[in-house]
Structures are given as structure tokens and as C-alpha cells.
Amino acid sequence: MYIDSHAHIYSKEFDADRQFILERCLEKGVNKIFMPNVSHESIEGMLEVEEKNPGHCIPIMGLHPCNVKKNFEKDLYEVEDWLKRRKFAAIGEMGTDLYWDKTFFSQQQEAFKIQVGFAKKYQLPIVIHCRNSFRETMDLLKEIKHDSLTGIFHCFSGNAEEAQEIIDIGFYLGIGGVVTFKNGGLDKVLPGIDLKHIVLETDCPYLAPVPHRGKRNEPTYIPIIAGKVAEIKNIPVAEVAAASTANSLKVFKEIYV
């Protein structure tokens, strides 16, 4: 059994063949797919996918940093309104991003603090996006974190020191297609990381692993990612599958087992 801990399977890129892809996921053992929200516009589509695929596609509620704009508070009111109404597996995809646009970075930081507050209030883990902003995000998190807060640093592609810092605060490394990239750097980091700190993800439709790099990513590629992790660590792929699945269920508190 595999779990895709981070997939935007609800996105328009899958409108033509989503159910076919989800059937293939089950054939390949990808039995659970966690779907992080990105904005108020994605909520309806995400929940529709969940409704059609109960127990297989599981929603996460939050506001992506790239969608944090001047009036972000309105979006966060809607996020909390949904958190009051029903169950979600986590808060996310949240965080900071200094890659695309630095204009609203102060608002991103404030949105981060508010969403960590949601995580505390509703006793949920968080799913963190921190593209080109690891240091800023980690410093912010340490400033406001409490002991029981955990979650995933999604799309981890950092160095060994950053990996250890994440582990030290009780968070997990989200390992995706980057692990298969020739110059991705994770081949130098993962040998020193215990499997108990890793979850697998695709971030589909983005960041497809080799040999599909540059094309649409999908949750059926999770076994490819697992295979590369196994190769790097020189262990059976079954160990990677078992450990990463257990870790995902643990971080999401087995709410949807």
C-alpha cells in the first residue's frame, strides 16, 4: 500500500480523465490521496472529488502562500468556516514563497501565523510550502510552534542540515519527484535520513518524476518515487512503502484510516 500525501488531483488538468487515473491508482496500490487546498476557488472542486471517491481522496483545508494577497483575511475566514463545519486531515497547503512574488511576503507571514493558530485550535497537523524561503519559514515556525504541533515540509529539496532541523522539531520530509532528478541533491541527503521521518508525495500535476519529467504528474507515479528512495538507501522498496504509509497515517492522525 502507498499513500500520496500531497496531490492536487482536483485541479483542472485532470478534468478529462480523473476517474480513470484514480482507478489506476488503486491498481498500483495508491490507496489514499491527500488533497491540499490552495484558494477559495479550489474548495468546491476538491470536495467534489472527495464526494465521488470517499476514503480514497481526502481533503486538507488551507490557503496557499501564492494566493495570499492584500485581502487575505477574507479567504482565511472562509477556511475557518469550513474547519468549523466538517473534518479535514490537516491545515494546508500553507507557508511562504519567495520564488514567484515577494510583494505580499508580510501578508504571507501573517497568514502563516493565523493558520498555525487554526492547527492549534482544531488539533490538526500542518502542510508547509516554503519555496526559496526555508530559513524564513523555519524561524517563523519555531517562534510560534507548540510541542504537539506536527506536519510535513512539503516538496523537501534541501540539504542535510535543513532535513535534520525539520526532524528535530517533530516534522516530516515530503519526498516527491525531485528525488529522481539528476541534480536534485536528495541522493546525498536521504542516505542519512531514517525512513521514519519520510512521507511520499507527488504534488501532481507538478514535478513529475523521471522518466515523466516535464509532463503532467499523477498519483500513479508514487511507486516510481518510492523505488528511487529505495535505490538511494539500498533497501527493498517494500520497506519504503510500509514506512512512508505508516508515517502518513501517523501525521494525519489516522483520521481517515
Side-chain angles (χ1 to χ4, degrees):
M1 176 180 168
Y2 292 101
I3 288 177
D4 188 343
S5 67
H6 194 114
H8 304 281
I9 190 68
Y10 56 81
S11 68
K12 65 182 185 300
E13 284 86 350
F14 296 100
D15 284 352
D17 62 351
R18 183 177 295 109
Q19 289 308 123
F20 172 71
I21 293 294
L22 290 172
E23 287 170 14
R24 287 207 308 169
C25 285
L26 293 173
E27 291 170 6
K28 290 182 175 289
V30 184
N31 293 349
K32 291 188 185 295
I33 299 169
F34 288 86
M35 306 182 295
N37 188 54
V38 292
S39 75
H40 70 277
E41 294 178 345
S42 60
I43 296 172
E44 182 179 353
M46 177 180 70
L47 296 181
E48 184 178 332
V49 172
E50 179 204 22
E51 184 178 359
K52 291 180 178 178
N53 304 275
H56 189 197
C57 298
I58 300 159
I60 292 171
M61 179 53 65
L63 180 64
H64 192 291
C66 292
N67 290 309
V68 171
K69 306 300 180 185
K70 191 173 182 179
N71 298 315
F72 71 93
E73 291 97 338
K74 182 180 178 182
D75 291 320
L76 289 181
Y77 286 142
E78 185 169 5
V79 165
E80 184 164 31
D81 185 53
W82 276 105
L83 290 169
K84 290 175 181 176
R85 288 159 63 182
R86 53 151 295 164
K87 187 183 292 184
F88 291 91
I91 306 294
E93 176 177 356
M94 54 168 282
T96 65
D97 190 302
L98 289 174
Y99 179 81
W100 291 110
D101 186 355
K102 301 178 177 66
T103 306
F104 297 105
F105 188 61
S106 63
Q107 287 90 344
Q108 287 182 24
Q109 292 173 302
E110 185 60 28
F112 186 99
K113 293 176 182 177
I114 292 170
Q115 290 184 89
V116 168
F118 293 163
K120 294 176 180 178
K121 182 175 181 179
Y122 296 97
Q123 297 184 306
L124 292 171
I126 60 178
V127 176
I128 295 177
H129 170 112
C130 56
R131 191 170 186 186
N132 285 25
S133 57
F134 173 80
R135 186 71 269 147
E136 292 85 350
T137 304
M138 180 59 81
D139 289 347
L140 183 60
L141 179 60
K142 286 182 175 179
E143 191 180 302
I144 58 178
K145 183 185 180 300
H146 63 92
D147 289 343
S148 64
L149 183 66
T150 187
I152 299 167
F153 271 74
H154 146 64
C155 196
F156 178 76
S157 58
N159 58 38
E161 290 74 23
E162 290 169 342
Q164 191 58 52
E165 195 168 359
I166 290 168
I167 291 166
D168 286 346
I169 64 166
F171 276 62
Y172 294 80
L173 311 176
I175 305 298
V178 173
V179 74
T180 69
F181 297 175
K182 185 177 180 181
N183 297 311
L186 289 177
D187 58 322
K188 298 177 179 63
V189 177
L190 287 180
I193 302 298
D194 194 295
L195 282 179
K196 67 184 179 181
H197 304 301
I198 291 172
V199 297
L200 302 182
E201 61 171 64
T202 58
D203 195 25
C204 71
Y206 318 107
L207 292 173
V210 174
H212 306 286
R213 190 175 183 182
K215 300 176 183 177
R216 184 188 71 173
N217 199 1
E218 57 186 63
T220 60
Y221 297 157
I222 279 286
I224 297 175
I225 294 165
K228 189 63 179 180
V229 173
E231 178 188 323
I232 289 171
K233 294 184 73 62
N234 194 29
I235 57 175
V237 69
E239 286 188 28
V240 178
S244 62
T245 294
N247 295 340
S248 289
L249 293 176
K250 184 177 180 181
V251 72
F252 292 124
K253 299 184 179 179
E254 302 190 11
I255 290 171
Y256 290 92
V257 175

